Amino acid sequence: MLSAKERHAAWLLAACGVFAVSGCAPIPAGPAEYSAGRTRVVLPSVAWEDLGATNEAFPLHPLPGAFPLQTRAVALRGDKRELLAVMLVQTNRTDIPRDPTLWTGSCPFQQGMTVEDTTAGSPVRIDCLRFKRWANNADWMEKNHPGVVRWMAEHKATLQQPYSHLNYRFATQGGSYVEVNAMVDQRLLRPKTSNNEEFLRAGYPAQEWSHKVAEAARLSTGMVDGFFAVPPFPFAVPN
């Protein structure tokens, strides 16, 4: 009998068939999904809910015009309706081809957080993963992501428990763009520990989950239907 991981891989292969330049064929619907521009944000369970979508325009300095984007917000709540996670996914609003695009977005190192810049500062693409474990300490979010903080306040979507923050940005010279901001209750990412060895290894599940989010977001830009499968959290929703 196939394991859950093997069944998932077989499902993807069956849906994709033979890869083409344009990407994989459309994949069947997931447990819950919402659109973010050209992207299908497929969530791992029906416990997630939609918080709405907004359209934005990214200015193309110094060129005239703007880059049309859309942001979809989703949230995971607990049994008492408390917020456990909020995710904002921003992507291209359409599939309209664009002229070659240069990106100036940086991926600077910052003390106290994990930063992975796969492009090593490339001017033609972005592939930047940033993860902060204690995101709601010392006004870190307010200083580093004021726009996200304002959005959470306006939509009454601020987590009350200690949470971590993931930011992943991916952009190509061809104009593909996706950015993910996720605020996640630490209990979904980090196990309880009872000794020093467990404490030293406690950060691995969050790291693995972050890499899965980045991979899924990156792959979505090459999919025909923008399929972005958000991976489940390493640990169950706390009671």
Side-chain angles (χ1 to χ4, degrees), residues 89-212:
V89 180
Q90 185 180 62
T91 64
N92 302 82
R93 205 180 306 169
T94 69
D95 272 325
I96 297 175
R98 306 196 64 86
D99 294 331
T101 305
L102 298 181
W103 300 94
T104 58
S106 60
C107 189
F109 171 80
Q110 189 172 358
Q111 189 173 5
M113 68 182 303
T114 301
V115 179
E116 299 179 16
D117 182 6
T118 305
T119 68
S122 168
V124 297
R125 67 188 188 96
I126 301 172
D127 194 339
C128 177
L129 173 63
R130 298 166 62 85
F131 182 84
K132 177 72 172 179
R133 180 188 171 194
W134 294 98
N136 54 331
N137 278 9
D139 297 327
W140 185 87
M141 283 292 293
E142 287 80 356
K143 296 173 182 176
N144 291 273
H145 297 278
V148 174
V149 172
R150 283 195 301 271
W151 183 93
M152 290 193 296
E154 292 170 358
H155 291 79
K156 296 180 173 57
T158 301
L159 278 69
Q160 300 304 310
Q161 293 287 338
Y163 66 85
S164 299
H165 175 253
L166 173 146
N167 175 261
Y168 177 69
R169 291 180 299 134
F170 179 79
T172 70
Q173 189 175 11
S176 296
Y177 182 85
V178 60
E179 179 173 5
V180 179
N181 279 285
M183 287 62 66
V184 183
D185 188 316
Q186 289 186 8
R187 295 173 295 176
L188 299 177
L189 297 174
R190 190 176 179 89
K192 294 181 179 180
T193 60
S194 58
N195 56 56
N196 189 55
E197 182 178 353
E198 291 178 354
F199 177 80
L200 293 175
R201 298 178 60 85
Y204 290 165
Q207 183 182 52
E208 182 180 5
W209 180 80
S210 299
H211 288 159
K212 288 180 178 179

Side-chain angles (χ1 to χ4, degrees), residues 204-225:
Y204 290 165
Q207 183 182 52
E208 182 180 5
W209 180 80
S210 299
H211 288 159
K212 288 180 178 179
V213 171
E215 181 181 21
R218 183 168 55 247
L219 290 175
S220 73
T221 63
M223 303 291 275
V224 169
D225 58 352

Side-chain angles (χ1 to χ4, degrees), residues 40-89:
R40 291 171 56 195
V41 182
V42 181
L43 300 159
S45 78
V46 295
W48 288 81
E49 64 182 43
D50 180 32
L51 296 181
T54 55
N55 292 330
E56 298 92 11
F58 191 83
L60 297 175
H61 298 309
L63 301 175
F67 210 72
L69 302 171
Q70 186 176 77
T71 300
R72 173 68 64 177
V74 292
L76 177 67
R77 294 185 183 274
D79 293 338
K80 299 179 181 178
R81 300 293 297 162
E82 73 278 18
L83 276 172
L84 297 173
V86 173
M87 180 175 287
L88 307 177
V89 180

